[in-house]
Amino acid sequence: MSEEEPVDKKPEIEESCKPHCSLEWAEYRACVKRIENDTTGEAHCTGQYLDFWRCVDRCAAKKIFETLK
């Protein structure tokens, strides 16, 4: 009996969810543009970046669990 190597579908599913999170991505990009000339080094867009990935994770979670055996 030959068993196939499992394929990780998470990256593909996450990519399919990114367009769903375009608002969060736009907010992140706007933040990056806003702080690009910051000379203090204190400004960051971590919150917006994490909001984007939280959106992607929420979208992808159900689809990922549906693919599990």
Side-chain angles (χ1 to χ4, degrees), residues 2 7 13 16 18 22 26 28 41 46 50 61 63 66 68-69:
S2 169
V7 177
I13 293 171
S16 73
K18 286 180 180 180
S22 59
Y28 169 68
T46 305
L50 293 175
K63 295 174 185 178
E66 287 174 354
L68 299 177
K69 290 184 177 182

Side-chain angles (χ1 to χ4, degrees), residues 39-69:
T39 58
T40 67
E42 293 181 20
H44 59 83
C45 299
T46 305
Q48 291 84 351
Y49 183 77
L50 293 175
D51 288 345
F52 170 71
W53 281 105
R54 186 175 303 115
C55 177
V56 171
D57 286 344
R58 262 187 256 126
C59 171
K62 182 178 179 183
K63 295 174 185 178
I64 290 171
F65 282 108
E66 287 174 354
T67 66
L68 299 177
K69 290 184 177 182

Side-chain angles (χ1 to χ4, degrees), residues 18 21-37 44-53:
K18 286 180 180 180
C21 301
S22 59
L23 175 63
E24 290 82 355
W25 182 251
E27 289 175 1
Y28 169 68
R29 296 302 304 155
C31 177
V32 169
K33 186 156 183 74
R34 233 182 2 260
I35 69 164
E36 66 186 12
N37 295 322
H44 59 83
C45 299
T46 305
Q48 291 84 351
Y49 183 77
L50 293 175
D51 288 345
F52 170 71
W53 281 105

Side-chain angles (χ1 to χ4, degrees), residues 3-16:
E3 289 190 30
E4 291 183 29
E5 191 67 31
V7 177
D8 184 6
K9 295 190 181 223
K10 183 180 180 217
E12 179 184 324
I13 293 171
E14 286 179 337
E15 280 299 316
S16 73

